[in-house]
Amino acid sequence: HPDCSLEVGLCPFYENSETHSASRSVDFTFTSLVNAGDWLQELSRLGLDFAGQISKVYLEAEAALSAHWAELVIVASLLVAKAAFLVAFTSMMLSYLELVRPSPSRGQGGRLQNGQRCSIAKGHRYRLKATLITLSCVVALNAMSGADAWNEKAPVSLRGRSTLDGTGSPDYSGICTDSSDWLPDLSVTTDRQTMTCSQGARMLTNGDPSKGWANEDLSEGWSCADKSSDMIETIVAFRQLGCCGSGSSACDASSKGRRTQPAVDLLGSSHKVLELARQARNRRGIHGKERAPTTYYHTYTVCNGMSNQILSHVGNIAHAISTKTPILIPDAYIMHGAQATNLDVTPSNSKYAPLSQVFDTDALLAYVRSHGIEVELVPYTEEVHSFLECDWINTLKHSDQDVASLVLGTFKPSPLIQKIVDDVLIKLPADKDIVCVHHRNGMDWLKHCEKWGHIDDGVWRKNCLNEPGQTISSAIKKRLLQNPVPIEAEGSEETPPGVDWVNKALPAILYVGDELPPKDLEEAGFEVFTRGWLLANEQQQADPEMVKNYAGDLDIDVLSFILSTRGISCPNDFRDICSIVDFHVCSTTSHFVGNSVSTWSALQIAERLNSATHTATWYNSMSIPLADMFQVYSMPIVYTYTEESEGSGKHLLKASILSARAKVPLSDVHVVYHGESDSNFRRWLQQQGVILHKHDPAWRKSIDSMFRNGNVTKSHLFQHAGNYFGTWQRIDIPKFINEEFVLMLDCDTIVLEPFTFGDFDKHMTRSIAFSAEMDENSKEPWNAGVALMNLPYLRQTYNDFFEFIHSHPSNEPFNIKLKSGATIPAPSDQGAYLFFYEDTKQFLDTKFNAKPYYKGTTEAGGTSSPAPKVLHFHGPKPHDYVGNWLGIPCNPAVDFICQKSERETPKLCESLKAFADVITSDKEEVKPLLREYCESTLGVHGSSYARSCITFFTLLANKKTLEVGDCPAIASGDAWNGRTLSEHDYSYSYSYSYSYTDICYTVVSRDNYGDGWNGGTLTITNTETNVAAATSTGPASGCKYNPPGDTCERTETACLPCGTYEAQTGGGSFSSERSWLIRDTSWSTVAEASGVESAIFTACSASCGLGSEAVSNTECEACPAGKYSDVDGVGPCTRCEAGKYNEAVGATSSDACLACEAGKASDVVGATSESMCTTCDAGKYASA
């Protein structure tokens, strides 16, 4: 029990020694209480005789009895009142106190005196059972828990106990600086157990006397002064666990400047572990004088089969690396870890071999040491490891997932195992494609699935076996297809995609299963191999009887024998030796089909998901349970694109891919690409690591017919033929990509947060999963802009789906039946998917398809929705919203969304900032993505609109916090007139006075060493007024994109009134490393210099006439609709006031702004057409 930590002596057993000192000790900590009946039952199970002596258990009482005498007195008093228990317990206590035993070697009895040695006959092994100590310990605690039992009537002095608080419980409030912060009943969890803060403190004061806590009074007023480092770190650990609430511990001030151990570790240290570390150091020839002593080492145990053992290592090693904790890796690999019961199989109760004979531990240790972590491989010991809980699931779940993934990759086969792997591989046919199939179909697996699938916790668990109605052969066939020649190999003869194999024949199967391969594999045309069959002809050197009773070091003869059995998968006692060989053989094949519920398969999948040449699918489909605690299962992402789409589509796709690369860097990104003209764009995609698939479908003409008959007022898809064709490209995705699931994204999406398989619903989808559309609270699958696709199923049903589309009338929508029973028409591919896959479609959580017009709350109580992972600009695109604020009306099909008020769309500005953050991250020298996007969209209305678009997204990206009304104000420019934008508003140190009438410049500052400008500043000064118009501190130290030693840069914006300016750096150190340049809106460089050199440039040097304005230093352009200019000079054009509009370009007078007719009004400044004047509501009027 957490409250009860007794240190008692053992006579440990060693096979090669007759006698040993009885003073060695072990820390016992118990994790649960049992009632009296349970105690008796457990002791009976151990064969203990309650009427006589308790034999075969020998304890040394030198410290434990004297230290806990008071507790034993209380035990005796309680036993008087418990007559039913007295007889049995008294006999046990007599043996506990008397320590009498017969000598196995001499046939004599005697009392074990302090300092004597235990005489133990060779071949006998005695283990102290925790239950015996629990008996005395728990009863003592029961006595101490009641004030009437001991506080008043039993005036005893318990070692290490503090004074009592008002409830009669020990007072440990002195652990906190302010005793009122102490939370005695707070439940906390360490890496060993769960306990209250008070229980943890009690365990501490009753622990090893040598650690100095026995005489510490931890009640109010306790001081940390003059305490040891161990004491300081331990007290700080209580604060880290939350025992002082939001307050500090009494030792926080003393710990400043000291590297404290993690709280989760401090309460679990053991001097036995330190002894293991000392022995390991001595074996390596390293002694205390040569290194600073380490006071804490982390060690752990392993359990069960191969996968669980590996994951236990992975989680614990990742924890050690991320917390900078020395670690001792147990040198044990369980050879048969199958669980016959719910109990873990550990090296204590099974045969095991050295870990170093199974894995390349030299490489593993070198990897851990490369992180600066002290690490040793130590023998598995009963004294330490047998008492540790094998909680690999929680350890893995709470480890650093990125580090854990890297650690997993270091588990490579030992030279011994690698030789066997090579022997298998060389016997596989070289002229065939090989698919490794891991098939779970044994009786133990069937029993596991029955139990696992019926756990009553609401979690979906129905994918433990084959998919319903599928044989293993049919499941394999639909999961493998020929990969087309990559699109970058232009000029080569390309093979169209399909389901034929690379060599036009079915691949061979390397079968790894619980039983012999099922006959239907060969009946389906597969050639099947197993490891046992391939090795069966090897000459056997091992004696079968010797192998049967084998335990100890592995050798090549034993391995060859157990791995070459033709009739069975593997001899039972060596199940996990076979597993590790099969695992590494499978790792070499180009494709793997397994069972995702099996951790063995799940590890294979994990190693393959980030490989371009090794793919993985699973015949049972749906979720990967391991993904819940091991978040390394990246979800592949796929887009479709045609060069015939409108210009903004390419730029939106670029932004989406940049966001995916930033947030889910391990996910494969695919683009099914149509067209051959835009080689620059394809080159850009390849530079981003995108996998391209050439697409030229034969069904194109039938889709064009559907477009011509579409209703543009019903769907924006019918506005553009190229865009419409692009949406249909997705039906061919299953023909190109060899994955189990992919997330299909439209080009108008932004990935906001990381995600893996574990973030999706366990049921995933049998076919497709769509999310809600306009109503964020709806659970109806509808919007196809983000889709989770089950590729094997879509591939299997492809022909039927295509025939269904082809037979559908080209001018009719698809009528979709909702859950409510109502029927709603849906157009194009969206309607086709929803109709055809009506019985198998799933709902995709809206966090994967959040819309800018969503409120971000649920219907019930207005609570916040889960943080979105993917943002989808469904309907209006980012430039449409900005254009609307600038007076350019949205397309009629989506205008109702553009006209929503800020109260109706509270997440809109936040969504636009997310887009701005991505699109401004592009650092292209020639023409950044932001400029491309703005010029291809709002630029068609005039270059001033493109400039406004660039300015809007630049300012928005640099804004730290958003307030109500910010986005419309930034777009219109009204909110910034005459206002100085300071460091408080923006994430960079640029300050300037920006008016909407200014010309904006791009300032690029660089440092050729990569450590920033070291205090230097760039100042842009107006030469006429001698006033600084803008300043910049240049790149930050340790630049974001480059390591020290490389050039790094920072891009900022300065908007300046017309005039002549001088730019120069000054201050700081290492000025020779600096350089900078300034570009205008046409991307021409107007000034540049390096070091402390200066440069002079003129803003707005163009001379423009009436009806025009300057768009760069040298160019003028006619005022766009909605504006006019009635003065000569550089401009800018003035917008028509609210209530008026101007449809003409180049207006030279305010007279060009016409008032809305009677009965209509407009609150838009700079309205560009009469349509922006809206009719007054009933009950209101407006005069002309």
Side-chain angles (χ1 to χ4, degrees), residues 1025-1060:
T1025 63
N1026 203 31
V1027 174
T1031 60
S1032 172
T1033 57
S1037 176
C1039 298
K1040 182 176 181 181
Y1041 297 102
N1042 299 290
D1046 292 339
T1047 299
C1048 61
E1049 67 178 40
R1050 184 185 208 170
T1051 301
E1052 301 162 288
T1053 300
C1055 296
L1056 307 172
C1058 296
T1060 301

mmCIF file of all heavy atoms in Angstrom, residues 1025-1060:
data_model
loop_
_atom_site.group_PDB
_atom_site.id
_atom_site.type_symbol
_atom_site.label_atom_id
_atom_site.label_comp_id
_atom_site.label_asym_id
_atom_site.label_seq_id
_atom_site.Cartn_x
_atom_site.Cartn_y
_atom_site.Cartn_z
ATOM 1 N N THR A 1025 12.108 65.838 -43.246
ATOM 2 C CA THR A 1025 11.731 66.131 -41.853
ATOM 3 C C THR A 1025 12.741 65.599 -40.859
ATOM 4 O O THR A 1025 12.696 65.953 -39.680
ATOM 5 C CB THR A 1025 10.364 65.513 -41.540
ATOM 6 O OG1 THR A 1025 10.467 64.080 -41.647
ATOM 7 C CG2 THR A 1025 9.305 66.021 -42.505
ATOM 8 N N ASN A 1026 13.667 64.729 -41.334
ATOM 9 C CA ASN A 1026 14.655 64.080 -40.475
ATOM 10 C C ASN A 1026 13.995 63.279 -39.351
ATOM 11 O O ASN A 1026 14.533 63.163 -38.259
ATOM 12 C CB ASN A 1026 15.628 65.108 -39.883
ATOM 13 C CG ASN A 1026 16.943 64.459 -39.469
ATOM 14 O OD1 ASN A 1026 17.380 63.478 -40.088
ATOM 15 N ND2 ASN A 1026 17.571 64.989 -38.432
ATOM 16 N N VAL A 1027 12.796 62.739 -39.637
ATOM 17 C CA VAL A 1027 12.051 61.933 -38.673
ATOM 18 C C VAL A 1027 12.052 60.477 -39.143
ATOM 19 O O VAL A 1027 11.831 60.198 -40.323
ATOM 20 C CB VAL A 1027 10.600 62.447 -38.526
ATOM 21 C CG1 VAL A 1027 9.786 61.508 -37.629
ATOM 22 C CG2 VAL A 1027 10.605 63.855 -37.966
ATOM 23 N N ALA A 1028 12.328 59.580 -38.188
ATOM 24 C CA ALA A 1028 12.332 58.149 -38.519
ATOM 25 C C ALA A 1028 10.913 57.700 -38.846
ATOM 26 O O ALA A 1028 10.003 57.859 -38.029
ATOM 27 C CB ALA A 1028 12.904 57.340 -37.372
ATOM 28 N N ALA A 1029 10.718 57.142 -40.035
ATOM 29 C CA ALA A 1029 9.393 56.673 -40.447
ATOM 30 C C ALA A 1029 9.180 55.209 -40.099
ATOM 31 O O ALA A 1029 8.048 54.758 -39.952
ATOM 32 C CB ALA A 1029 9.220 56.880 -41.951
ATOM 33 N N ALA A 1030 10.257 54.441 -39.977
ATOM 34 C CA ALA A 1030 10.136 53.019 -39.652
ATOM 35 C C ALA A 1030 11.473 52.514 -39.135
ATOM 36 O O ALA A 1030 12.531 53.029 -39.500
ATOM 37 C CB ALA A 1030 9.707 52.215 -40.870
ATOM 38 N N THR A 1031 11.430 51.510 -38.267
ATOM 39 C CA THR A 1031 12.647 50.882 -37.747
ATOM 40 C C THR A 1031 12.448 49.374 -37.711
ATOM 41 O O THR A 1031 11.336 48.874 -37.615
ATOM 42 C CB THR A 1031 12.981 51.361 -36.324
ATOM 43 O OG1 THR A 1031 11.893 51.036 -35.468
ATOM 44 C CG2 THR A 1031 13.243 52.850 -36.299
ATOM 45 N N SER A 1032 13.569 48.651 -37.779
ATOM 46 C CA SER A 1032 13.525 47.187 -37.687
ATOM 47 C C SER A 1032 14.779 46.697 -36.980
ATOM 48 O O SER A 1032 15.866 47.261 -37.181
ATOM 49 C CB SER A 1032 13.441 46.553 -39.071
ATOM 50 O OG SER A 1032 13.586 45.150 -38.987
ATOM 51 N N THR A 1033 14.639 45.674 -36.159
ATOM 52 C CA THR A 1033 15.789 45.081 -35.461
ATOM 53 C C THR A 1033 16.375 43.900 -36.216
ATOM 54 O O THR A 1033 17.250 43.215 -35.713
ATOM 55 C CB THR A 1033 15.377 44.608 -34.053
ATOM 56 O OG1 THR A 1033 14.291 43.689 -34.163
ATOM 57 C CG2 THR A 1033 14.966 45.785 -33.186
ATOM 58 N N GLY A 1034 15.883 43.646 -37.426
ATOM 59 C CA GLY A 1034 16.451 42.603 -38.256
ATOM 60 C C GLY A 1034 16.075 41.209 -37.818
ATOM 61 O O GLY A 1034 15.192 41.028 -36.976
ATOM 62 N N PRO A 1035 16.732 40.180 -38.384
ATOM 63 C CA PRO A 1035 16.405 38.794 -38.035
ATOM 64 C C PRO A 1035 16.669 38.536 -36.563
ATOM 65 O O PRO A 1035 17.555 39.129 -35.956
ATOM 66 C CB PRO A 1035 17.345 37.966 -38.918
ATOM 67 C CG PRO A 1035 17.827 38.912 -39.978
ATOM 68 C CD PRO A 1035 17.822 40.261 -39.368
ATOM 69 N N ALA A 1036 15.910 37.607 -36.014
ATOM 70 C CA ALA A 1036 16.091 37.236 -34.612
ATOM 71 C C ALA A 1036 17.289 36.317 -34.470
ATOM 72 O O ALA A 1036 17.732 35.678 -35.424
ATOM 73 C CB ALA A 1036 14.837 36.562 -34.084
ATOM 74 N N SER A 1037 17.819 36.235 -33.256
ATOM 75 C CA SER A 1037 18.925 35.316 -32.991
ATOM 76 C C SER A 1037 18.449 33.880 -33.149
ATOM 77 O O SER A 1037 17.379 33.524 -32.668
ATOM 78 C CB SER A 1037 19.453 35.538 -31.577
ATOM 79 O OG SER A 1037 20.459 34.607 -31.281
ATOM 80 N N GLY A 1038 19.253 33.036 -33.797
ATOM 81 C CA GLY A 1038 18.855 31.647 -34.024
ATOM 82 C C GLY A 1038 17.683 31.597 -34.970
ATOM 83 O O GLY A 1038 16.597 31.158 -34.637
ATOM 84 N N CYS A 1039 17.881 32.087 -36.188
ATOM 85 C CA CYS A 1039 16.787 32.277 -37.129
ATOM 86 C C CYS A 1039 15.969 31.012 -37.328
ATOM 87 O O CYS A 1039 16.465 29.902 -37.215
ATOM 88 C CB CYS A 1039 17.343 32.735 -38.469
ATOM 89 S SG CYS A 1039 18.192 34.308 -38.318
ATOM 90 N N LYS A 1040 14.725 31.210 -37.651
ATOM 91 C CA LYS A 1040 13.749 30.117 -37.668
ATOM 92 C C LYS A 1040 14.072 29.052 -38.697
ATOM 93 O O LYS A 1040 13.906 27.870 -38.446
ATOM 94 C CB LYS A 1040 12.359 30.696 -37.933
ATOM 95 C CG LYS A 1040 11.254 29.651 -37.926
ATOM 96 C CD LYS A 1040 9.909 30.311 -38.094
ATOM 97 C CE LYS A 1040 8.786 29.284 -38.073
ATOM 98 N NZ LYS A 1040 7.470 29.905 -38.258
ATOM 99 N N TYR A 1041 14.529 29.469 -39.857
ATOM 100 C CA TYR A 1041 14.625 28.503 -40.955
ATOM 101 C C TYR A 1041 16.026 27.943 -41.156
ATOM 102 O O TYR A 1041 16.217 27.004 -41.897
ATOM 103 C CB TYR A 1041 14.143 29.150 -42.257
ATOM 104 C CG TYR A 1041 12.696 29.542 -42.193
ATOM 105 C CD1 TYR A 1041 12.335 30.865 -41.984
ATOM 106 C CD2 TYR A 1041 11.695 28.586 -42.273
ATOM 107 C CE1 TYR A 1041 11.000 31.229 -41.898
ATOM 108 C CE2 TYR A 1041 10.360 28.942 -42.187
ATOM 109 C CZ TYR A 1041 10.019 30.264 -42.005
ATOM 110 O OH TYR A 1041 8.703 30.621 -41.910
ATOM 111 N N ASN A 1042 17.025 28.527 -40.514
ATOM 112 C CA ASN A 1042 18.392 28.082 -40.746
ATOM 113 C C ASN A 1042 19.157 27.977 -39.433
ATOM 114 O O ASN A 1042 18.936 28.757 -38.516
ATOM 115 C CB ASN A 1042 19.140 29.067 -41.664
ATOM 116 C CG ASN A 1042 18.495 29.183 -43.030
ATOM 117 O OD1 ASN A 1042 18.559 28.253 -43.814
ATOM 118 N ND2 ASN A 1042 17.855 30.303 -43.291
ATOM 119 N N PRO A 1043 20.083 27.035 -39.338
ATOM 120 C CA PRO A 1043 20.898 26.926 -38.127
ATOM 121 C C PRO A 1043 21.979 27.997 -38.118
ATOM 122 O O PRO A 1043 22.266 28.615 -39.148
ATOM 123 C CB PRO A 1043 21.507 25.525 -38.267
ATOM 124 C CG PRO A 1043 21.583 25.309 -39.750
ATOM 125 C CD PRO A 1043 20.365 25.993 -40.317
ATOM 126 N N PRO A 1044 22.606 28.256 -36.963
ATOM 127 C CA PRO A 1044 23.724 29.202 -36.926
ATOM 128 C C PRO A 1044 24.799 28.810 -37.922
ATOM 129 O O PRO A 1044 25.114 27.634 -38.096
ATOM 130 C CB PRO A 1044 24.214 29.088 -35.480
ATOM 131 C CG PRO A 1044 23.009 28.652 -34.720
ATOM 132 C CD PRO A 1044 22.259 27.745 -35.651
ATOM 133 N N GLY A 1045 25.362 29.791 -38.582
ATOM 134 C CA GLY A 1045 26.373 29.532 -39.601
ATOM 135 C C GLY A 1045 25.842 29.697 -41.008
ATOM 136 O O GLY A 1045 26.599 29.764 -41.952
ATOM 137 N N ASP A 1046 24.501 29.817 -41.153
ATOM 138 C CA ASP A 1046 23.894 30.022 -42.463
ATOM 139 C C ASP A 1046 23.194 31.371 -42.486
ATOM 140 O O ASP A 1046 22.826 31.929 -41.454
ATOM 141 C CB ASP A 1046 22.875 28.931 -42.785
ATOM 142 C CG ASP A 1046 23.538 27.585 -42.987
ATOM 143 O OD1 ASP A 1046 24.746 27.581 -43.279
ATOM 144 O OD2 ASP A 1046 22.859 26.567 -42.833
ATOM 145 N N THR A 1047 22.988 31.878 -43.714
ATOM 146 C CA THR A 1047 22.262 33.127 -43.861
ATOM 147 C C THR A 1047 20.800 32.937 -43.473
ATOM 148 O O THR A 1047 20.183 31.950 -43.829
ATOM 149 C CB THR A 1047 22.333 33.621 -45.317
ATOM 150 O OG1 THR A 1047 23.694 33.844 -45.651
ATOM 151 C CG2 THR A 1047 21.530 34.906 -45.484
ATOM 152 N N CYS A 1048 20.271 33.884 -42.698
ATOM 153 C CA CYS A 1048 18.852 33.849 -42.382
ATOM 154 C C CYS A 1048 18.287 35.246 -42.621
ATOM 155 O O CYS A 1048 19.031 36.220 -42.719
ATOM 156 C CB CYS A 1048 18.608 33.408 -40.946
ATOM 157 S SG CYS A 1048 19.337 34.481 -39.728
ATOM 158 N N GLU A 1049 16.975 35.323 -42.750
ATOM 159 C CA GLU A 1049 16.386 36.602 -43.099
ATOM 160 C C GLU A 1049 15.036 36.785 -42.436
ATOM 161 O O GLU A 1049 14.452 35.846 -41.903
ATOM 162 C CB GLU A 1049 16.235 36.730 -44.606
ATOM 163 C CG GLU A 1049 15.225 35.771 -45.222
ATOM 164 C CD GLU A 1049 15.078 35.959 -46.726
ATOM 165 O OE1 GLU A 1049 16.111 36.181 -47.394
ATOM 166 O OE2 GLU A 1049 13.937 35.885 -47.214
ATOM 167 N N ARG A 1050 14.568 38.028 -42.509
ATOM 168 C CA ARG A 1050 13.260 38.388 -41.985
ATOM 169 C C ARG A 1050 12.596 39.305 -42.997
ATOM 170 O O ARG A 1050 13.233 40.200 -43.547
ATOM 171 C CB ARG A 1050 13.434 39.117 -40.654
ATOM 172 C CG ARG A 1050 12.132 39.453 -39.951
ATOM 173 C CD ARG A 1050 12.440 40.275 -38.726
ATOM 174 N NE ARG A 1050 11.445 40.109 -37.695
ATOM 175 C CZ ARG A 1050 11.569 40.567 -36.472
ATOM 176 N NH1 ARG A 1050 12.671 41.202 -36.135
ATOM 177 N NH2 ARG A 1050 10.623 40.404 -35.583
ATOM 178 N N THR A 1051 11.317 39.066 -43.261
ATOM 179 C CA THR A 1051 10.568 39.881 -44.217
ATOM 180 C C THR A 1051 9.497 40.660 -43.472
ATOM 181 O O THR A 1051 8.711 40.069 -42.736
ATOM 182 C CB THR A 1051 9.932 39.002 -45.303
ATOM 183 O OG1 THR A 1051 10.968 38.287 -45.987
ATOM 184 C CG2 THR A 1051 9.161 39.844 -46.302
ATOM 185 N N GLU A 1052 9.474 42.010 -43.664
ATOM 186 C CA GLU A 1052 8.519 42.874 -42.979
ATOM 187 C C GLU A 1052 7.944 43.878 -43.973
ATOM 188 O O GLU A 1052 8.384 43.954 -45.132
ATOM 189 C CB GLU A 1052 9.200 43.603 -41.814
ATOM 190 C CG GLU A 1052 9.804 42.646 -40.797
ATOM 191 C CD GLU A 1052 10.830 43.314 -39.902
ATOM 192 O OE1 GLU A 1052 11.928 43.617 -40.390
ATOM 193 O OE2 GLU A 1052 10.506 43.547 -38.733
ATOM 194 N N THR A 1053 6.956 44.615 -43.529
ATOM 195 C CA THR A 1053 6.287 45.590 -44.390
ATOM 196 C C THR A 1053 6.389 46.978 -43.770
ATOM 197 O O THR A 1053 6.161 47.149 -42.570
ATOM 198 C CB THR A 1053 4.812 45.218 -44.580
ATOM 199 O OG1 THR A 1053 4.732 43.932 -45.190
ATOM 200 C CG2 THR A 1053 4.110 46.244 -45.468
ATOM 201 N N ALA A 1054 6.715 47.962 -44.600
ATOM 202 C CA ALA A 1054 6.720 49.366 -44.167
ATOM 203 C C ALA A 1054 5.883 50.176 -45.158
ATOM 204 O O ALA A 1054 6.153 50.164 -46.356
ATOM 205 C CB ALA A 1054 8.147 49.914 -44.124
ATOM 206 N N CYS A 1055 4.837 50.845 -44.660
ATOM 207 C CA CYS A 1055 3.982 51.666 -45.505
ATOM 208 C C CYS A 1055 4.336 53.135 -45.256
ATOM 209 O O CYS A 1055 4.213 53.634 -44.127
ATOM 210 C CB CYS A 1055 2.512 51.390 -45.193
ATOM 211 S SG CYS A 1055 2.024 49.680 -45.574
ATOM 212 N N LEU A 1056 4.785 53.845 -46.332
ATOM 213 C CA LEU A 1056 5.386 55.167 -46.174
ATOM 214 C C LEU A 1056 4.624 56.213 -46.982
ATOM 215 O O LEU A 1056 4.190 55.943 -48.112
ATOM 216 C CB LEU A 1056 6.839 55.141 -46.655
ATOM 217 C CG LEU A 1056 7.743 54.062 -46.039
ATOM 218 C CD1 LEU A 1056 9.086 54.061 -46.759
ATOM 219 C CD2 LEU A 1056 7.926 54.310 -44.551
ATOM 220 N N PRO A 1057 4.453 57.426 -46.424
ATOM 221 C CA PRO A 1057 3.917 58.538 -47.221
ATOM 222 C C PRO A 1057 4.912 58.907 -48.316
ATOM 223 O O PRO A 1057 6.094 58.560 -48.249
ATOM 224 C CB PRO A 1057 3.775 59.666 -46.188
ATOM 225 C CG PRO A 1057 3.866 59.015 -44.850
ATOM 226 C CD PRO A 1057 4.732 57.813 -45.039
ATOM 227 N N CYS A 1058 4.453 59.624 -49.315
ATOM 228 C CA CYS A 1058 5.336 60.033 -50.395
ATOM 229 C C CYS A 1058 6.450 60.910 -49.841
ATOM 230 O O CYS A 1058 6.242 61.732 -48.954
ATOM 231 C CB CYS A 1058 4.558 60.804 -51.459
ATOM 232 S SG CYS A 1058 3.314 59.790 -52.278
ATOM 233 N N GLY A 1059 7.673 60.753 -50.389
ATOM 234 C CA GLY A 1059 8.811 61.529 -49.927
ATOM 235 C C GLY A 1059 10.096 60.821 -50.243
ATOM 236 O O GLY A 1059 10.106 59.739 -50.840
ATOM 237 N N THR A 1060 11.228 61.427 -49.828
ATOM 238 C CA THR A 1060 12.548 60.852 -50.031
ATOM 239 C C THR A 1060 13.055 60.317 -48.695
ATOM 240 O O THR A 1060 12.936 60.986 -47.664
ATOM 241 C CB THR A 1060 13.527 61.899 -50.579
ATOM 242 O OG1 THR A 1060 13.016 62.410 -51.815
ATOM 243 C CG2 THR A 1060 14.899 61.292 -50.818
#
